Amino acid sequence: MTFEPVFSSARPILVAGPCSAETEAQVLATARALQQSGVNLFRAGIWKPRTRPGAFEGIGTPSLKWLQRVRQETGLAVTTEAANAQHVEECLAHGIDVLWIGARTTANPFSVQEIADALRGVDIPVLVKNPINPDLKLWLGAFERLHSAGIRRMAAVHRGFSSYGDSAYRNAPRWQIAIDLMQTFPNLEILCDISHICGRRDTLAETAQMAYDLNYDGLMVEVHPSPDEAWSDAAQQITPAQFQQMTRALVRRSLTADDPDFLASIENYRCAIDEIDEEIIALIARRMELVRDIGLIKKEKNVAVLQPERFRALREALLARGQKNELSHEFITLLLEAIHQESIRQQECLINAPTALQNQAPEER
Ligand code: PEP
Ligand code: MN
């Protein structure tokens, strides 16, 4: 797939505006207040996908006119979420500059196809949010459907992934998925929707800085004149003044520096890291040899592969050790799960697969 840029201005790109268009006054007040904040694109939800019925579901078509006024009065380009063909038609009829596909829509290939079909022959930029579930292929699939319909100006919006249970985030960022997208399509622009990742105000700045440090092209941020009174997503919205303060304080770093001392010392560190990585793999391979030895005696005594008590104890011990060494709980959990899964796989192969001897041709025995 080939993409053309949605944004032509210098980085960082800033997309900002309220979660929902609530009243004409609220939309215009936000846009006017954002005018001097370096915002490239003004956002506001017209149709809101709510998790449960009864919540504010957006004003709908009548509020598209308010976005037209934003453009007339401030010169800002405007964007809103389109979730079906009818939304697309309404947006095109009202001259909306850019469409975005929401996370719940990206997760549904029927809806994405419906939108792609409605856009056939139309040249409008589209921002594609990640699907709510951590599935890179589904995200790619949405780009492919739009691409097949002739859309070339597309950008990705990373807004995090749903998970069950308590978490520091409303939607876990799972940064690696976005990094994998960047590696697959180095020319595809990518923004970080810190508002839906964080779900709260106090962690927006650090998450935005993380996105800048991972070379995102910019941010999408929910901004409201009186956030606590917002009709949707109140806890994560900030005032235009807070937005300006936050974005000014963020540090934008360049991808590299051509200073020879810098390049030489980074090279030294990388050599040392490569050696350690080699040792890690060799150590894990040695660990797996022991795992297979245990597998053999388990097989002999007909003992189960999974030993829950042992795993629990191991997990606790490693989490404590991790904490002492300033390694995060999340990292130790993922690392141990990966090692444990591989150990189980190796023992399973050994216990259930036909033995190597049985596999050999008679003349090789
Ligand atoms: C939004 O941007 O207001 C929104 C509904 O986002 P998402 O699709 O990421 O939940
Ligand atoms: Mn929102």
Side-chain angles (χ1 to χ4, degrees):
M1 277 189 286
T2 52
F3 299 103
E4 285 165 21
V6 174
F7 303 100
S8 50
S9 31
R11 312 290 114 150
I13 299 299
L14 299 174
V15 180
C19 176
S20 307
E22 299 165 3
T23 65
E24 185 166 27
Q26 167 248 8
V27 169
L28 287 170
T30 316
R32 287 190 196 115
L34 283 173
Q35 228 176 333
Q36 305 306 323
S37 299
V39 168
N40 304 84
L41 183 61
F42 181 80
R43 62 148 284 156
I46 300 291
W47 302 277
K48 299 303 298 178
R50 306 314 302 276
T51 303
R52 301 181 65 186
F56 174 59
E57 293 187 329
I59 300 290
T61 308
S63 51
L64 283 168
K65 292 211 170 60
W66 308 341
L67 291 184
Q68 289 179 323
R69 273 200 69 187
V70 165
R71 178 151 20 66
Q72 278 159 14
E73 291 196 14
T74 65
L76 283 169
V78 293
T79 183
T80 196
E81 173 175 354
N84 58 36
Q86 185 221 329
H87 296 166
V88 170
E89 296 310 328
E90 303 273 13
C91 288
L92 295 177
H94 287 80
I96 298 300
D97 300 286
V98 175
L99 301 180
W100 94 69
I101 298 190
R104 290 157 196 78
T105 309
T106 308
N108 181 349
F110 290 123
S111 303
V112 176
Q113 192 57 53
E114 179 182 320
I115 292 170
D117 291 340
L119 285 173
R120 209 171 285 277
V122 181
D123 181 20
I124 187 170
V126 183
L127 311 178
V128 183
K129 290 206 179 193
N130 66 258
I132 45 177
N133 46 329
D135 184 342
L136 178 59
K137 289 205 178 110
L138 202 50
W139 200 0
L140 294 176
F143 286 106
E144 283 162 1
R145 287 175 198 279
L146 291 161
H147 194 270
S148 297
I151 299 291
R152 292 293 178 274
R153 287 188 288 159
M154 286 191 267
V157 180
H158 173 213
R159 52 78 79 194
F161 301 89
S162 285
S163 56
Y164 183 68
D166 289 341
S167 158
Y169 296 103
R170 177 177 176 195
N171 291 291
R174 309 282 302 262
W175 297 103
Q176 191 58 46
I177 298 176
I179 294 171
D180 287 346
L181 179 72
M182 295 180 205
Q183 308 235 301
T184 312
F185 295 116
N187 295 325
L188 180 66
E189 294 165 316
I190 179 163
L191 308 176
C192 187
D193 174 349
I194 54 175
S195 304
H196 290 91
I197 287 180
C198 297
R200 48 195 267 191
R201 276 165 222 149
D202 60 335
T203 51
L204 289 173
E206 66 195 60
T207 308
Q209 186 59 58
M210 176 77 173
Y212 278 15
D213 290 343
L214 296 177
N215 309 316
Y216 280 62
D217 292 280
L219 306 173
M220 180 184 267
V221 188
E222 286 187 342
V223 177
H224 192 287
S226 28
D228 286 332
E229 275 129 56
W231 298 358
S232 59
D233 289 351
Q236 69 198 29
Q237 302 208 57
I238 51 176
T239 63
Q242 288 168 325
F243 172 80
Q244 192 174 63
Q245 196 185 14
M246 176 186 77
T247 48
R248 285 195 176 156
L250 292 170
V251 185
R252 197 73 196 158
R253 303 178 221 274
S254 54
L255 198 52
T256 186
D258 44 20
D259 169 31
D261 286 347
F262 164 80
L263 292 173
S265 60
I266 209 164
E267 193 49 39
N268 276 340
Y269 282 119
R270 283 180 178 159
C271 286
I273 284 179
D274 289 349
E275 275 172 30
I276 291 178
D277 284 348
E278 240 174 77
E279 284 170 31
I280 290 175
I281 296 294
L283 272 175
I284 292 177
R286 262 180 55 206
R287 187 188 195 282
M288 291 302 158
E289 274 172 31
L290 300 174
V291 161
R292 286 195 298 272
D293 289 346
I294 295 186
L296 282 178
I297 57 172
K298 277 183 183 166
K299 181 176 182 169
E300 210 176 281
K301 299 286 178 210
N302 209 20
V303 167
V305 166
L306 179 64
Q307 299 285 314
E309 262 318 307
R310 162 73 178 154
F311 184 61
R312 229 187 314 274
L314 194 59
R315 189 166 179 275
E316 263 169 40
L318 287 187
L319 281 173
R321 195 170 284 256
Q323 199 174 14
K324 261 194 215 147
N325 288 283
E326 292 181 33
L327 297 168
S328 76
H329 189 283
E330 195 183 9
F331 169 70
I332 295 290
T333 306
L334 284 172
L335 179 68
L336 181 60
E337 263 175 32
I339 292 177
H340 193 235
Q341 280 293 310
E342 179 62 10
S343 305
I344 288 176
R345 192 190 68 82
Q346 298 240 0
Q347 290 194 352
E348 275 290 296
C349 284
L350 194 79
I351 293 176
N352 294 323
T355 63
L357 198 62
Q358 280 164 344
N359 265 346
Q360 280 170 12
E363 62 275 15
E364 290 175 342
R365 281 183 194 156

